[in-house]
Amino acid sequence: MKPKFINRLFTINNVRTLGERIGMFFMFLCLIFFILTLIIFGISFFFKNDWIVHEIIQLISGVCFTFVFCSIFITLIFMTRNWIWKLLGVFITIAFFYAATQLMVNVKMIYKDKAAYENKQFEKIIGVPTEVEYDNPESGPRVVYEIMFEDVTIQATHLWIRQDYFEKNMKGKSLVIYYLPNSHYAMGVNVAD
């Protein structure tokens, strides 16, 4: 025989079917992931002076945040009876799981680069970029997101190189870029002499 509080938990707001119970579970899971995201994100600021640890922790926070959305849409899948919303929930959940796996791959690559970062063993590329992508911020200036060469794409968002500065001082010029070997995060971008 179940305790009374268990029976009450599953009868709140007419939550009686197995699908609705599973949906409630994922709703609670969503809340847990959201709290975990805030905690991990807050912890990352204690490592502000150690860039690589700070970046790893923030990426883990991003993984938890994508799981918040996965949980929301899994809840939608189980709680709704409309098949269109269920189908939409499945596609959006798959997209967020894909984003979470990409963030996990980034965590793994940056973790592999930890020794290279600490020992300052960066890869070096010299040349004129084939393309430069800028982020699309909701507010504030645009910054360089990626610097692409024929054989490698370098991530540069964390350097906060503003678009106007890059176009005025670096565009079309030969650049010297130091970057981490696995994750391809830029550690320095300068104009070649």
Side-chain angles (χ1 to χ4, degrees):
M1 178 157 168
K2 291 183 191 175
K4 288 183 181 180
F5 75 94
I6 299 281
N7 286 332
R8 276 183 287 177
L9 178 67
F10 290 121
T11 57
I12 294 174
N13 296 328
N14 297 324
V15 178
R16 292 188 180 100
T17 67
L18 179 63
E20 290 172 337
R21 290 177 183 176
I22 294 171
M24 288 294 291
F25 169 75
F26 279 103
M27 199 178 309
F28 288 125
L29 197 62
C30 172
L31 182 64
I32 290 168
F33 277 126
F34 183 72
I35 292 168
L36 194 60
T37 299
L38 294 177
I39 291 169
I40 293 171
F41 186 74
I43 288 171
S44 74
F45 288 101
F46 289 111
F47 297 96
K48 199 74 170 167
N49 294 334
D50 189 356
W51 176 82
I52 202 148
V53 174
H54 176 76
E55 193 71 21
I56 289 170
I57 293 172
Q58 285 210 330
L59 285 171
I60 292 170
S61 172
V63 170
C64 289
F65 195 61
T66 56
F67 284 148
V68 167
F69 287 101
C70 288
S71 299
I72 288 171
F73 288 104
I74 290 172
T75 300
L76 177 72
I77 292 167
F78 284 104
M79 297 293 274
T80 188
R81 291 185 174 97
N82 185 332
W83 67 272
I84 294 173
W85 285 108
K86 286 182 184 276
L87 190 62
L88 184 65
V90 168
F91 287 128
I92 293 173
T93 301
I94 290 170
F96 277 109
F97 269 122
Y98 177 76
T101 57
Q102 290 303 307
L103 287 172
M104 286 186 251
V105 168
N106 284 350
V107 169
K108 179 182 174 188
M109 291 299 151
I110 291 178
Y111 183 75
K112 282 183 174 180
D113 285 333
K114 193 171 185 317
Y117 175 78
E118 290 170 350
N119 296 323
K120 307 251 186 259
Q121 297 172 335
F122 306 133
E123 298 285 324
K124 177 179 171 182
I125 188 166
I126 300 173
V128 178
T130 57
E131 187 178 346
V132 176
E133 281 190 23
Y134 302 98
D135 71 342
N136 197 7
E138 294 177 12
S139 64
R142 293 178 70 177
V143 296
V144 174
Y145 178 69
E146 290 180 334
I147 302 172
M148 291 169 259
F149 294 90
E150 288 182 18
D151 55 344
V152 68
T153 300
I154 310 296
Q155 301 291 325
T157 309
H158 59 283
L159 296 178
W160 295 98
I161 303 171
R162 292 173 49 145
Q163 179 181 5
D164 55 351
Y165 177 82
F166 185 87
E167 289 182 356
K168 182 180 178 185
N169 299 311
M170 297 180 176
K171 188 173 183 176
K173 297 180 180 175
S174 182
L175 302 178
V176 177
I177 301 178
Y178 295 95
Y179 63 95
L180 295 171
N182 295 302
S183 61
H184 295 174
Y185 271 71
M187 294 291 105
V189 178
N190 300 311
V191 176
D193 294 331

